Amino acid sequence: QGIETLSLRMARHSENALAAAKHFPGNSVTDTDPHRGLPVVGKALRALWAEDLAPYRALMRAGLLPAVLTSHAMYPALDRRMPATLSAAVLTGLLRRRLGFRGAVLSDDLEMAAIERRHGLEGAVGLAVRAGVDLVMICHTYDKMRRGIAHLRELASRDPAVARRVRESAGRVAALKRRARGGPFPPLRSPAAQRLAAAQARRAFTVIRNGAGLLPLRLAPASRLVVVDPLHTMYGWNQPVRLGAAAPRSSQFGSGFQ
C-alpha cells in the first residue's frame, strides 16, 4: 500500500512531464546488471503480482500511467525463453491483455549486454517490436540506430504483422505526444536548454542537513570535488562503487556554485 501511495503521489506531481514507470514488470530482486549480463528474477507469479506489479496496477487504475519502460531481466514465472523486453507473454499477454494497459511501451537500451550480446541488434529490434514495444531505444551508437531503423523498415515491408505493429505503435506515440503538456522546449544543447536543465537540477535537490552551513558550495576555481557514486545500486548492492573527481565550473552549476 505504501509503494502504491508513493507511486501515485509522484505521478501527480510530474511538473507537466509524462511519467514512464520502469522497469516493467519489476526489478525488486535483480542481482545482475543488464549492462553486463542477463538478470533473472526468480519470484513466483503471486509475489510478482502482489509486490512488483502493485505500483503499475495502482497507476493504471488512476489513469496516471502514459508509458512503461521494459526490463531486460528474465522472469521464469512469466516467460522461460525471453527477457521481458522481448517477451510477447509479458508485454502483450500480461501488460496489454491482463492489465489492460493502453499507453506506450518503451524498451530499455537494446545495446545492453543482456540483449545485444544474446540476440544481436537487428534480431533484438525485430523481437522487441513483435513482442509489443512501441518505442525501441538504441541509446549510444549512431550507426546502430541507423541499422535498427533500416532493419525495422525492411521487416515491415515484407511482413504484414510487423507493418501492423508499426502502425499500432505510431498511433500510441501520437497519443503520447498529444497528452504531453508544456513547452515548446528550447532546442537541445542551446544556451536556453542548458539554463532550463540547470534550473531543474537545482530544484531536484533535497537538502537533508546543512548544520555546518557548507551549502551552497563555494569552491575556488582550482578546487577538486570528489563525488562518491554507487554504480547501478538498483541491480544489487554487490556492484562496484565508482569514485570520480572533477573541477566544478560555475557554468555547470549556476551562480550558487563558485
Side-chain angles (χ1 to χ4, degrees):
Q1 185 65 37
I3 295 175
E4 292 183 14
T5 302
L6 178 60
S7 301
L8 291 169
R9 188 174 302 163
M10 292 173 66
R12 285 176 176 140
H13 293 81
S14 57
E15 298 289 343
N16 293 333
L18 293 178
K22 66 175 190 177
H23 297 76
F24 186 86
N27 272 357
S28 61
V29 294
T30 311
D31 61 359
T32 301
D33 181 348
H35 294 84
R36 299 184 174 92
L38 180 64
V40 177
V41 176
K43 282 188 173 183
L45 180 58
R46 179 176 296 181
L48 286 170
W49 185 265
E51 299 165 5
D52 298 66
L53 291 170
Y56 297 97
R57 293 189 287 115
L59 290 168
M60 290 178 205
R61 285 195 301 268
L64 293 172
L65 189 57
V68 300
L69 188 145
T70 62
S71 167
H72 286 343
M74 293 286 296
Y75 297 81
L78 301 171
D79 189 333
R80 293 185 176 275
R81 295 180 57 252
M82 289 290 178
T85 297
L86 310 180
S87 170
V90 174
L91 301 185
T92 300
L94 174 62
L95 181 59
R96 294 283 185 205
R97 293 175 184 161
R98 185 168 183 181
L99 296 179
F101 181 64
R102 296 188 177 184
V105 176
L106 291 68
S107 78
D108 208 341
D109 181 15
L110 296 190
E111 292 190 57
M112 292 187 195
I115 300 298
E116 186 179 14
R117 186 180 295 168
R118 292 170 178 270
H119 301 280
L121 183 80
E122 286 83 357
V125 167
L127 288 168
V129 171
R130 292 177 190 275
V133 171
D134 300 308
L135 283 167
V136 175
M137 305 281 280
I138 303 172
C139 300
H140 298 285
T141 309
Y142 182 62
D143 179 64
K144 292 180 180 180
M145 298 175 195
R146 293 174 59 111
R147 284 167 46 196
I149 293 170
H151 182 67
L152 183 57
R153 184 182 291 119
E154 191 271 334
L155 278 180
S157 71
R158 60 180 173 84
D159 189 332
V162 174
R164 184 169 57 252
R165 278 286 304 112
V166 170
R167 289 193 295 270
E168 291 173 357
S169 294
R172 293 187 186 116
V173 173
L176 196 66
K177 291 180 178 180
R178 289 193 297 269
R179 186 167 176 172
R181 296 173 294 150
F185 299 108
L188 194 65
R189 297 190 178 89
S190 67
Q194 291 177 353
R195 289 193 296 271
L196 176 61
Q200 295 296 337
R202 285 193 293 270
R203 293 181 62 195
F205 279 96
T206 299
V207 178
I208 303 300
R209 56 181 179 271
N210 188 28
L214 298 177
L215 300 177
L217 294 176
R218 290 178 175 81
L219 304 176
S223 298
R224 305 287 285 180
L225 179 67
V226 176
V227 177
V228 178
D229 176 17
L231 181 61
H232 300 311
T233 55
M234 64 177 294
Y235 302 117
W237 295 103
N238 60 340
Q239 300 299 312
V241 173
R242 176 178 57 200
L243 297 180
R249 299 174 300 181
S250 59
S251 61
Q252 289 178 300
F253 300 101
S255 59
F257 295 85
Q258 301 292 336

